[in-house]
Amino acid sequence: MKGITESLWPIHYKPLPDELLSCWLVRLAHGHGLKVQTFCNLIFGNQRQIWNRDMDRLAPTWLIDELSQRTATPSQITWNTTLRSYEGLLYRKFKVSGGLQWILALKLYHRKREGYGLQCCPTCLAEDRIPYFRKRWRIAFYTVCTKHQTMMLDRCPQCAAAIAFHRIDIMNVDALDAGRLAYCHECGFDLRAAPAVEPLFYDRDATVLLQNACDVLDPGHAGYDKWDLGRYSVLHQLSMILTSKYRHVSLRDFVLDQIGCSDIRLATGRISLEMRPIKERHHLLQLAMWLMVLPDVRLEHAWRSGAVRYNVLLKDFSEPPDWYRRLTEKFVNWRNRFQVE
């Protein structure tokens, strides 16, 4: 295609607010009238395959440099389309393999996604002049759209396929139209037509706190000054403890009893929060957020009730924040004092 090998591409869209790198690249390919794989082969060559990985997490430096140069986009803005931009906020240190705290897992098999690692808000897609996928939609605690207060969608409601917009043009010759990005690649269902589902909230204060935690991810939002890496890490730790199968841990039952809520069936086994379906994540986050509203008071109550031991609160928790460590040490001191008495 004429001009595609020049320094500046004929079509050089800039990233939309909070747009994922993969979505931006698909829009660039379709803007040039090419399928994604054809476009990438022309630009990067057959030896540089990028769709057999979680591109938004593992984007190589050469890809960032190429996109920045060909679209006249500052490299920092290009890097900010990747999940690595959450380093130091949602997880402590980036790593190439294994799970990352709060980053939903795609579970890639070749170029197919076996996990439900990308969510969307159907109403956001419907309101977009150009439908596109946001970076914050890859975050495990982002279960409710902060703009529309409706549940996020983590799969096609018609065929239950994972969302994989980069595959929409494989079999569909009409997929190069910008609006087709919002269609299910498997069955062709328009995700914008998915019904808006009202979230089930268990506690008003916990709901407000969850909203605050999600607001930090929205571009242009002032954020909520209490949410930092330490606070997000404690929320993650409590969410995982709520799924514990240890005989001496009944924290989930304790919280459910305190708020007067029924439990739901959770997938069994050692499943990370980032691999759980949205219904399970939303349920667990409601319970964990209830604890986070008044952690000193409510965790102490849980500990005194025998719902959780102090050592469990720190189990496998690397570098907890000082306030949380002091809280658990207080439980240890109380236990030692009672034993002496």
Side-chain angles (χ1 to χ4, degrees):
M1 182 177 178
K2 185 178 179 180
I4 203 170
T5 58
E6 295 177 1
S7 178
L8 187 66
W9 287 333
I11 303 297
H12 43 272
Y13 305 138
K14 300 297 187 291
L16 295 168
D18 200 42
E19 185 172 16
L20 275 169
L21 173 67
S22 55
C23 183
W24 180 32
L25 184 53
V26 170
R27 287 198 305 111
L28 285 166
H30 291 176
H32 285 91
L34 296 171
K35 291 187 175 185
V36 173
Q37 195 61 50
T38 303
F39 179 79
C40 291
N41 287 342
L42 282 172
I43 299 301
F44 311 126
N46 294 333
Q47 301 304 312
R48 284 180 161 181
Q49 296 297 316
I50 55 177
W51 293 103
N52 57 358
R53 69 185 77 184
D54 184 347
M55 182 201 305
D56 298 309
R57 173 180 169 177
L58 301 172
T61 301
W62 61 260
L63 176 61
I64 299 298
D65 292 343
E66 188 87 19
L67 288 173
S68 297
Q69 177 184 352
R70 300 300 191 96
T71 64
T73 301
S75 59
Q76 186 57 51
I77 292 178
T78 304
W79 273 116
N80 281 340
T81 65
T82 75
L83 297 169
R84 190 158 185 171
S85 61
Y86 288 130
E87 184 178 28
L89 175 63
L90 300 186
Y91 57 87
R92 186 169 300 281
K93 187 71 175 177
F94 175 79
K95 55 183 179 179
V96 174
S97 59
L100 278 179
Q101 181 171 280
W102 293 124
I103 305 300
L104 289 171
L106 295 179
K107 294 179 67 177
L108 282 167
Y109 181 72
H110 296 295
R111 290 180 176 82
K112 294 184 177 180
R113 295 178 179 178
E114 297 184 343
Y116 300 96
L118 175 60
Q119 309 172 122
C120 73
C121 170
T123 309
C124 282
L125 291 176
E127 290 180 353
D128 288 340
R129 185 178 64 85
I130 301 171
Y132 73 99
F133 289 79
R134 279 71 162 166
K135 186 173 61 175
R136 62 187 180 274
W137 292 354
R138 288 289 310 274
I139 305 306
F141 63 78
Y142 201 92
T143 58
V144 177
C145 176
T146 54
K147 180 179 181 181
H148 300 105
Q149 294 302 303
T150 54
M151 286 294 293
M152 298 292 289
L153 192 69
D154 70 344
R155 65 198 69 196
C156 173
Q158 181 164 284
C159 72
I163 298 170
F165 54 79
H166 68 291
R167 295 178 61 85
I168 190 65
D169 62 19
I170 292 179
M171 300 297 293
N172 192 335
V173 295
D174 299 322
L176 302 189
D177 176 75
R180 301 292 296 190
L181 209 63
Y183 283 55
C184 173
H185 73 285
E186 193 70 34
C187 69
F189 178 78
D190 189 343
L191 297 174
R192 295 171 293 188
V197 178
E198 185 176 350
L200 181 62
F201 291 123
Y202 304 158
D203 177 84
R204 182 182 178 278
D205 291 336
T207 299
V208 172
L209 200 58
L210 178 59
Q211 172 84 32
N212 290 334
C214 293
D215 280 343
V216 177
L217 307 181
D218 289 350
H221 194 280
Y224 187 63
D225 58 5
K226 289 187 177 181
W227 285 102
D228 56 14
L229 175 61
R231 200 168 180 84
Y232 282 122
S233 297
V234 171
L235 175 63
H236 191 273
Q237 177 76 355
L238 295 178
S239 298
M240 293 304 296
I241 294 173
L242 288 167
T243 67
S244 174
K245 294 298 182 182
Y246 292 117
R247 288 179 296 176
H248 56 271
V249 178
S250 56
L251 187 60
R252 190 162 87 244
D253 291 336
F254 170 82
V255 177
L256 289 167
D257 182 65
Q258 293 295 307
I259 62 180
C261 177
S262 299
D263 205 359
I264 67 171
R265 183 183 295 274
L266 299 178
T268 57
R270 292 181 61 84
I271 303 173
S272 71
L273 192 69
E274 292 77 14
M275 287 189 176
R276 291 187 178 274
I278 191 168
K279 182 179 180 181
E280 294 185 18
R281 284 187 281 110
H282 185 70
H283 176 69
L284 292 169
L285 283 162
Q286 295 298 303
L287 308 184
M289 276 299 185
W290 182 85
L291 292 167
M292 291 291 291
V293 170
L294 293 169
D296 286 8
V297 174
R298 291 175 176 175
L299 284 176
E300 178 186 336
H301 188 191
W303 175 75
R304 290 185 180 277
S305 299
V308 65
R309 293 180 180 178
Y310 72 91
N311 58 321
V312 173
L313 293 171
L314 286 173
K315 183 176 174 58
D316 300 323
F317 195 171
S318 176
E319 301 183 58
D322 290 341
W323 65 266
Y324 184 77
R325 185 181 291 278
R326 287 195 298 269
L327 174 61
T328 57
E329 289 174 349
K330 184 170 63 174
F331 298 156
V332 177
N333 293 334
W334 284 344
R335 186 203 64 168
N336 293 337
R337 187 181 66 189
F338 292 152
Q339 288 178 342
V340 171
E341 294 175 354

